[in-house]
Amino acid sequence: MRALIFPLLLMVLLASGCAVRGPVGSYCGPLPEGNAVSAIAVDAVDCLSTLYPPGHTSVHLVPAKNVDNGFAQTFENGLRTKGFTLVPDARADALAIAYTLDAMDEKSAWYLQLRISDNEGSGKSIARAYTSSGQPEAGQSRTEITLKRSMLQK
């Protein structure tokens, strides 16, 4: 019995170390053609500008591992053009935004999720599907979530 309990406890402890609450960072999979990337980024900027006032909102984009991806650059430029202030480091007075852009299936459909954490530790998750040309599919998912800001900073 004792020989069984120790390995079981060890497995539980190791498995719990893998569980993470909230978004950990941004991810960008293989990108669609350039025009589709631009269209997706423009739609994401428009969505954010309906939720937060551009001239009064600072944004920190949580970088993806492949920082040089075309989506991140187009998204940043769109945010600046719209009037958002981009800050290089996470600050208490800035929104932290992590994103996931990836292919959904063999048909070249795309999926974008924005995870937004405000200075109070709560936030929103916005998700939308796009066609192969970058046009939004019908509908959009918006969810109020509670995040720990430190999870976005990792």
Side-chain angles (χ1 to χ4, degrees):
M1 179 78 168
R2 285 186 180 185
L4 183 63
I5 291 175
F6 180 71
L8 184 61
L9 286 174
L10 185 61
M11 282 182 15
V12 169
L13 285 173
L14 291 175
S16 67
C18 296
V20 177
R21 285 183 54 128
V24 185
S26 294
Y27 172 77
C28 189
L31 291 174
E33 62 169 86
N35 291 338
V37 170
S38 296
I40 293 170
V42 165
D43 185 58
V45 170
D46 288 343
C47 178
L48 286 173
S49 66
T50 62
L51 295 172
Y52 302 99
H56 304 285
T57 306
S58 297
V59 173
H60 167 67
L61 286 181
V62 178
K65 286 184 181 179
N66 53 342
V67 177
D68 296 332
N69 70 65
F71 174 75
Q73 294 167 353
T74 307
F75 190 41
E76 282 182 26
N77 290 339
L79 289 169
R80 283 189 182 100
T81 301
K82 198 71 158 180
F84 287 96
T85 303
L86 270 79
V87 295
D89 299 317
R91 301 187 326 209
D93 63 338
L95 294 176
I97 300 177
Y99 61 87
T100 299
L101 176 62
D102 204 3
M104 283 196 322
D105 57 24
E106 307 83 38
K107 300 176 194 171
S108 297
W110 301 96
Y111 170 80
L112 175 67
Q113 179 188 36
L114 300 175
R115 295 171 310 280
I116 308 159
S117 175
D118 60 19
N119 54 2
E120 293 147 9
S122 64
K124 294 175 178 44
S125 175
I126 302 167
R128 185 173 243 182
Y130 296 87
T131 63
S132 60
S133 63
Q135 296 305 309
E137 294 282 346
Q140 184 180 80
S141 169
R142 291 187 186 182
T143 307
E144 296 286 329
I145 54 177
T146 302
L147 299 171
K148 293 188 177 185
R149 187 166 184 83
S150 62
M151 298 309 287
L152 281 171
Q153 297 170 351
K154 290 185 179 179

